[in-house]
Amino acid sequence: MRLRAGGICHSDLNAIDGTDPIRVPAVLGHEGAGVVEETGPGVVLPAPGTHVVLSWLPACGRCDACLRDLPHLCAAAWDAMAAGGLLDGTSRLSRAGETIYHYSLLSAFADHAVVPAACCVPIPDDVPWEVAAMVGCAVTTGTGAVWRTAGVRPGERVAVLGCGGVGMSAVLGAVAVAADPVIAVDVSDDKLEAALALGATHAVRWAGDAETTAEAILAASGGGVDYAIEATGRPEAARCAFLSTRARGAAVLVGIPRADAELQLPALSIPRMERRVLGSVYGSARPERDFPAVLALYRRGRLPLDRLITARLPLEAVAEGVDLLRGGAALKVVLET
Ligand SMILES: [Zn+2]
Ligand SMILES: [Zn+2]
């Protein structure tokens, strides 16, 4: 396929700095959108010419998780991803005879890519490429955590810890379903300003530790939130999310911690307050259903995804884009290919 836009997402940084060890050398990038140019033998859909958003989590339809109607937990895709190949375990990439591995089945930091047909989700022809690309990971991960994993209802209280691309998508998702209040939490005043501009009702600056920050969230929410969406992957922030909940509330853990990270929680409050911890991967989403639905909301002006984009760069400037994201000031950096 011919890629037309890609997005840099935090997992790409985790792969670069080793938080998430991957097979190397690899072409990174797991947010992309473009046009199908050619299909392999036996592939009927998508037809050449179809505009698609790439999903990095194709479901096999046969494994235990798929049969339990949890396609976002499909084991087959994770195994293939870890091997650095496509779904058959082999790579389509090489340089001077040396194998180059795929990242997340996609390797979207490219102008062309060979991807599994099951990763291609058709979209309307008139959606801006860079908006479409973001729906392939950050937007779906953030909005899905609110809509699918948590199932937030109007008037429920939501806090979002970490206002990067995923967290800010969670803010937009919470605002879209009339959660109230929507409390943004971050270390950066600029990001908190941006969250307020996108509809968050309160901003809480990270106070340096879980307890103090949780107190500020409890105060802002009038006694605790129903859902605290954690999008940083830091155990201290996850603990803060938990401490910010009221009775029956849940910390929704989206951010990816280091593999050896552990989480300490006040155990008594779990039975006594029915507090919960929910894990959320890929927004518990079903890409074939949810990508077009999210893009339809964008097209009607009800989910202003384009406002998440703080930098547009050519593909050649991908390293600069990674630095921008790592610097902490950018929300979403998109690549035009
Ligand atoms: Zn991502
Ligand atoms: Zn499966």
Side-chain angles (χ1 to χ4, degrees):
M1 65 176 289
R2 169 80 171 95
L3 283 156
R4 299 298 304 273
I8 307 177
C9 191
H10 216 86
S11 301
D12 296 306
L13 305 192
N14 290 346
I16 292 169
D17 68 21
T19 306
D20 170 31
I22 63 162
R23 274 186 107 169
V24 290
V27 176
L28 295 179
H30 63 285
E31 282 186 349
V35 187
V36 176
E37 282 195 335
E38 217 178 301
T39 55
V43 174
V44 179
L45 292 171
T50 307
H51 290 207
V52 298
V53 172
L54 296 178
S55 154
W56 53 261
L57 200 46
C60 75
R62 295 180 299 277
C63 75
D64 194 44
C66 285
L67 294 177
R68 291 167 64 207
D69 205 20
L70 302 168
H72 60 291
L73 298 176
C74 177
W78 289 108
D79 290 346
M81 258 184 265
L86 296 185
L87 289 172
D88 65 358
T90 67
S91 172
R92 304 296 186 280
L93 307 171
S94 66
R95 180 178 54 192
E98 180 197 16
T99 299
I100 305 277
Y101 294 99
H102 296 256
Y103 176 63
S104 287
L105 306 172
L106 303 180
S107 292
F109 295 162
D111 48 23
H112 285 82
V114 179
V115 300
C119 293
C120 296
V121 178
I123 57 166
D125 287 356
D126 59 349
V127 179
W129 291 116
E130 66 273 18
V131 169
M134 297 189 297
V135 171
C137 187
V139 165
T140 294
T141 301
T143 57
V146 174
W147 298 339
R148 306 288 178 192
T149 313
V152 172
R153 291 173 294 184
E156 287 190 317
R157 306 171 179 178
V158 171
V160 177
L161 290 88
C163 295
V166 170
M168 214 62 102
S169 297
V171 168
L172 288 179
V175 170
V177 295
D180 187 75
V182 177
I183 303 167
V185 184
D186 202 278
V187 294
S188 152
D189 288 331
D190 289 345
K191 284 186 177 168
L192 292 176
E193 278 299 318
L196 291 171
L198 290 174
T201 60
H202 298 70
V204 168
R205 200 169 192 287
W206 177 256
D209 67 89
E211 280 73 14
T212 316
T213 309
E215 269 169 38
I217 300 170
L218 292 173
S221 61
V225 297
D226 296 294
Y227 296 100
I229 315 288
E230 199 300 300
T232 74
R234 293 188 178 85
E236 189 68 358
R239 182 175 150 79
C240 176
F242 184 85
L243 296 177
S244 306
T245 57
R246 62 172 166 179
R248 214 8 136 70
V252 182
L253 306 189
V254 179
I256 308 297
R258 295 190 67 90
D260 58 356
E262 298 204 345
L263 185 54
Q264 270 205 334
L265 302 175
L268 178 61
S269 71
I270 295 176
R272 189 154 288 172
M273 296 172 65
E274 293 197 351
R275 275 171 153 173
R276 297 166 297 156
V277 175
L278 307 175
S280 178
V281 61
Y282 217 0
S284 309
R286 194 177 282 258
E288 297 77 8
R289 175 195 64 194
D290 295 343
F291 289 5
V294 165
L295 287 170
L297 288 173
Y298 164 74
R299 285 174 355 137
R300 292 191 206 285
R302 292 165 63 186
L303 204 61
L305 300 176
D306 51 331
R307 291 174 63 189
L308 299 176
I309 300 171
T310 47
R312 288 179 163 83
L313 298 171
L315 176 62
E316 296 73 35
V318 60
E320 186 188 327
V322 166
D323 287 342
L324 264 180
L325 198 62
R326 206 195 303 274
L331 293 181
K332 283 301 292 182
V333 180
V334 293
L335 303 167
E336 292 162 337
T337 62

